[in-house]
Amino acid sequence: MRSRQLARALWLIFLLGTLVGQAVGQSGVVDGTFNPGSGVNGAVYAVAVQADGKLVIGGEFTAFNGIPRSNLARLNADGSLDTTFTPGSIAGRVEALVVQSDGKVVIGGEFSSVGGITRRSLARLNPDGSVDTGFVAETDANGIVYALALRSDGRLLVAGDFIALAGQRRERLAQLEPSGALDAGFNPNAAANGAIFALALQPNGRVLVGGAFTQVNGSPRSRVARLTPDGGLDMTFSQSGPMDGTVLALEVQPDGRIVIGGAFRFVSGIERNGVARLEPGGALDTSFGAFGGVGGRLLPVVQAVRLQPNGRILIGGDFTTVNGTLRNFVARLNGLDGSLDTGFDIGSGASSAVLALALQADGRIILGGAFATFNGTPRAGIVRLLGDDPGCASAVLPAVANVSALGGEGVVTVTAAGSCTWRAVSDVPWITVLSGATGSGNGTVTYRVAAHRGRARTGTLTVSGRTVTVNQAVSAFETVGLFRRSDGFFYLRNSLTSGFADLAFFFGQGNDIPLSGDWDGDGTTTIGVFRIVSGAATFFLRNSNSAGFADVSFAFGAPGDIPVVGDWNGDGRDTVGVFRNGVFLLRNTNSAGMADSIVNFGLGTDVPVVGDWDGNGTTTVGCYRRSNGFFYYRNDLLSGVAEGAFFYGLADDLPFAGDWDGDGRDGIGIVRLTGGSWRFFLKNELSPGFADVSFNYGNVNDLPVVGNWNGRP
């Protein structure tokens, strides 16, 4: 059998349902009702559970229970060979597999033919094991497929160590249509500079990748990265530091945190030894895994990770200790902090490496690998263990909470057995757990929903697998205001009509550039200014629309920069950035520091205009080109060409953006000198045409600001 070492990864498709509780102490025990006989005469690298309970296994073997099977087999629910599945000879090893809803099986690996038909490293089989000749995608001759992920619409993500797929250049990552044709809508420039060994799909369609790479799509990314649904690099996911080894497995928890396994010692300079957890935004979760990690081998490795519905975490690999305690090749961790779950009783464990993990709908656990026995019981390459109670919270109330655009606080009541420990987590940054983040037995969780301006949005609180859906209503429309350089006053109006200011107050100096944003997330837009102080570009921000001193001030940017404001990460709070010679430098906190996102977009002579163009709650970039009167915009914070462009305005107009009709999407606007006074022309759609609203307001040399000044929902 060819040694696996580190160059491999696993992808498992499994079904999660209500688990059948086992008696106390049984979890981890070999399930005697599953008998594979003599098992495989090699190793199992991948396992998938079909809807009917049968198992598909792939790897490097020539027989199962003495019956010829070349690197792929299907087992009945009792562990016996399913003789109705006859794939024929596979000339090479199978590294990954997924089962489609129609029963067809996609396999990836390093092989040259399947059932006598040429198929290089990628193939799809019919439910009886015959080659599906309608699926023709394959890698180049030297490419290896290490990971597969199936989207709900049937499209297939393929990752590994190849440079071409389906006859076109695709560097280690591609997406296929159900037919096997390349998905042209998935970024053809998506590429990693090293092998990708693991894939994970998030509920919002974003794609996590793990491997040996240090760059993705040309940007630095150490071993882990996240892509947008169309294959662009997700700039909202960033790491606080590099990893010193390879990531081989990924799993996403219901709260968005990411458990990683692999052959590494350090993550962001902190020792983690083969297993760690990242925050939803990519930073190391320091509350998890501070107990020592895996060890006991020359190079201990975690090669498989699987989450149980009760929040516990199964790990398998090539190790003999976990957190300093003897555990041969498989263990279970507590989901709260990564400590060893001593209630998972594996006895002496596996005799060699565990390379694959899967869960059945009844909670039983499937292990695949290179072992010959498990806890002294002969089980060559495949074994099933008893599961346990999915446990924890038996109920959470309410199941649904509806909140206005202004946000607010809420309470969740948890009903659970006294021995049950649970954790409450949010899957979005705008829902914050205030109390009851952890607990046991009956209890309560209090949370806060940030105010916002934008479309209606939905997030969830998860308490040990039970979810509370939080729906937040669309916010009200925005209006305009002015900063008058001659007197340093802001003049704010609460309607899109001509008239006098509803609110006027002094803040700033004549040469300041005015700003507006919801700095504290309370749903009300307040003002700020950008000023050069002793040669330093400085922001002064105020949390109320009244005269007074700045609540927050800090240096960011350089003289000559143009300031911009937006909610770049969707957390419900506006932060600042600057536009410099065609480059956006954006911060996710209102403090001094380095840019969190750098976006090349536009020309140095353009005027930056940022907004939430698609209503997803995140501000992205745009610009107005005076030379041709066009607006250009993107729906992400990625460098590249415009995703949309349209003509609106004249060369001397002052451009800006705002949600004029309260639909959650920003439109554009201009202010123009007409008859000696300013006239606003506002448009609700990103398209050429006439203004939807126009009115007179302000004087020449006034500068416009936009916001929801009175916090109306």
Side-chain angles (χ1 to χ4, degrees), residues 618-700:
T618 301
T619 308
T620 54
V621 297
C623 59
Y624 176 64
R625 191 157 298 163
R626 293 184 182 277
S627 61
N628 61 9
F630 266 72
F631 280 87
Y632 299 89
Y633 65 91
R634 284 189 64 86
N635 286 319
D636 54 36
L637 294 177
L638 301 177
S639 301
V641 299
E643 295 181 84
F646 59 94
F647 175 80
Y648 189 73
L650 302 175
D652 292 330
D653 294 339
L654 294 180
F656 47 89
D659 183 4
W660 319 121
D661 58 1
D663 69 350
R665 297 177 299 172
D666 281 332
I668 48 88
I670 55 173
V671 62
R672 177 182 302 163
L673 183 62
T674 303
S677 63
W678 282 128
R679 188 166 183 84
F680 285 82
F681 297 87
L682 311 180
K683 188 157 175 52
N684 293 325
E685 301 296 330
L686 300 177
S687 61
F690 295 104
D692 295 291
V693 180
S694 65
F695 53 92
N696 290 327
Y697 186 62
N699 301 322
V700 64

Side-chain angles (χ1 to χ4, degrees), residues 426-514:
S426 164
D427 71 337
V428 290
W430 47 272
I431 302 176
T432 305
V433 176
L434 300 177
S435 66
T438 60
S440 61
N442 297 333
T444 58
V445 177
T446 62
Y447 62 92
R448 179 181 182 273
V449 178
H452 81 125
R453 60 179 193 280
R455 284 184 174 181
R457 58 185 181 178
T458 298
T460 60
L461 279 168
T462 302
V463 182
S464 189
R466 275 65 173 179
T467 59
V468 177
T469 300
V470 180
N471 299 313
Q472 189 169 23
V474 65
S475 70
F477 65 92
E478 293 180 308
T479 55
V480 300
L482 298 167
F483 175 68
R484 186 155 296 163
R485 293 176 169 184
S486 61
D487 60 11
F489 265 71
F490 282 85
Y491 296 89
L492 309 180
R493 185 133 177 83
N494 289 328
S495 64
L496 297 174
T497 59
S498 301
F500 295 104
D502 295 289
L503 187 64
F505 56 93
F506 175 79
F507 185 78
Q509 299 175 4
N511 291 325
D512 291 344
I513 299 176

